[in-house]
Amino acid sequence: RPMKISLIQMNSQPDRRANLRQAQALMLKAVKEEVPDLIVLPEHFDWSGGTAAEKLAAADYMPGGAAYRMAQEFACRHGLWLHAGSMLERVPGEERIYNTTVVFDPDGKEAGRYRKIHLFDIVAPDGKAYRESATVAPGHDLLVYEACGLRIGAAICYDLRFSRLFDQLAENKVDLVILPAAFTMQTGKDHWEVLCRARAIEFQVYFAACGQWGSYLAAGGETRQCFGNSLVCDPWGQVIARAS
């Protein structure tokens, strides 16, 4: 039978406990109403915004850490695959952290890990500067894993703009690409859907893009906006499911 996927669209804040409660509540709702084989969480489901120092302090070791344990236990308890968006990963002896997807199988075992390769260092049209590389180090390795008879490739947010990454995933014969994200409102309204559809068409894959939505608090009490509009495209480039 076909794989059934639930995308969890969140509004994460610089508050881990609240974020994890929100993630669990939405995943439980998905389990009860949709009975999915695989659940996808967005980028930064564990922590979004705050200052650079707070972001570094919020990073956890893996395995371990509250977000890692919550996702692992949920996958095991409900017997499903969990593509755990991205979490802030601390590594002993390294000054910077990683923006990391962890995938758990239905037994709660870690099936793979992907560290975001392309970091979000831009100045947006409204003049807001985003410097992910100030706190985050880039990853280097692809992740492809098999679940429910499908080959699944991993990417995160800003990776969407770099087609060579998806070309490499296509060479690995993936059927589906999963992209947790936290696209800004400004870039999202113009580029989110067109890029997701383009990647699906270019590489003849299903494309599941799971985003953050709404406002969050950044450094200095500044409010920033995420675009939402989580969606799934088929290989023809048609959007077959979408959140608001």
Side-chain angles (χ1 to χ4, degrees):
R1 66 181 180 85
M3 174 194 265
K4 193 170 191 179
I5 303 176
S6 290
L7 307 186
I8 305 297
Q9 183 165 285
M10 291 178 60
N11 177 224
S12 296
Q13 301 292 328
D15 182 340
R16 174 172 281 109
R17 287 186 182 180
N19 295 337
L20 297 189
R21 283 197 302 269
Q22 181 186 175
Q24 280 188 297
L26 289 168
M27 288 195 295
L28 279 170
K29 189 172 189 291
V31 167
K32 289 175 182 176
E33 295 179 6
E34 306 295 342
V35 196
D37 302 296
L38 182 150
I39 288 179
V40 182
L41 288 165
E43 183 183 27
H44 298 321
F45 79 88
D46 63 332
W47 182 276
S48 190
T51 65
E54 287 170 336
K55 185 175 177 180
L56 288 167
D60 268 334
Y61 295 110
M62 297 182 189
Y68 186 102
R69 288 196 306 272
M70 183 278 287
Q72 183 176 45
E73 290 167 6
F74 193 95
C76 183
R77 186 180 314 120
H78 297 282
L80 49 74
W81 287 87
L82 179 52
H83 192 105
S86 82
M87 299 176 265
L88 304 179
E89 180 191 6
R90 181 189 305 278
V91 175
E94 296 195 23
E95 288 185 11
R96 289 190 292 173
I97 60 179
Y98 291 96
N99 186 350
T100 304
T101 293
V102 183
V103 179
F104 297 99
D105 73 12
D107 294 320
K109 294 177 182 174
E110 184 177 321
R113 191 181 298 195
Y114 169 72
R115 292 169 170 168
K116 185 178 183 181
I117 291 172
H118 300 99
L119 302 182
F120 191 50
D121 289 357
I122 73 151
V123 177
D126 63 359
K128 289 189 171 101
Y130 296 82
R131 296 282 180 248
E132 187 174 22
S133 66
T135 52
V136 177
H140 302 286
D141 299 320
L142 298 179
L143 170 62
V144 176
Y145 64 97
E146 296 195 12
C148 303
L150 296 181
R151 287 178 62 78
I152 301 173
I156 298 174
C157 200
Y158 195 52
D159 284 334
L160 181 59
R161 295 182 179 275
F162 298 87
S163 63
R164 284 175 295 180
L165 184 150
F166 300 95
D167 192 31
Q168 290 178 283
L169 291 175
E171 285 182 359
N172 280 274
K173 297 183 168 30
V174 298
D175 305 294
L176 164 68
V177 172
I178 296 179
L179 180 105
F183 249 61
T184 70
M185 180 65 75
Q186 278 207 314
T187 57
K189 65 185 176 60
D190 293 330
H191 299 161
W192 173 250
E193 181 180 321
V194 71
L195 285 172
C196 291
R197 294 176 67 191
R199 298 295 170 248
I201 296 165
E202 281 178 305
F203 300 112
Q204 288 297 284
V205 294
Y206 281 87
F207 201 94
C210 182
Q212 292 275 354
W213 75 277
S215 61
Y216 66 92
L217 288 175
E222 179 190 2
T223 298
R224 294 187 170 185
Q225 297 279 338
C226 287
F227 183 62
N229 283 270
S230 299
L231 55 81
V232 180
C233 301
D234 68 14
W236 193 253
Q238 293 189 332
V239 177
I240 57 175
R242 186 203 304 270
S244 64

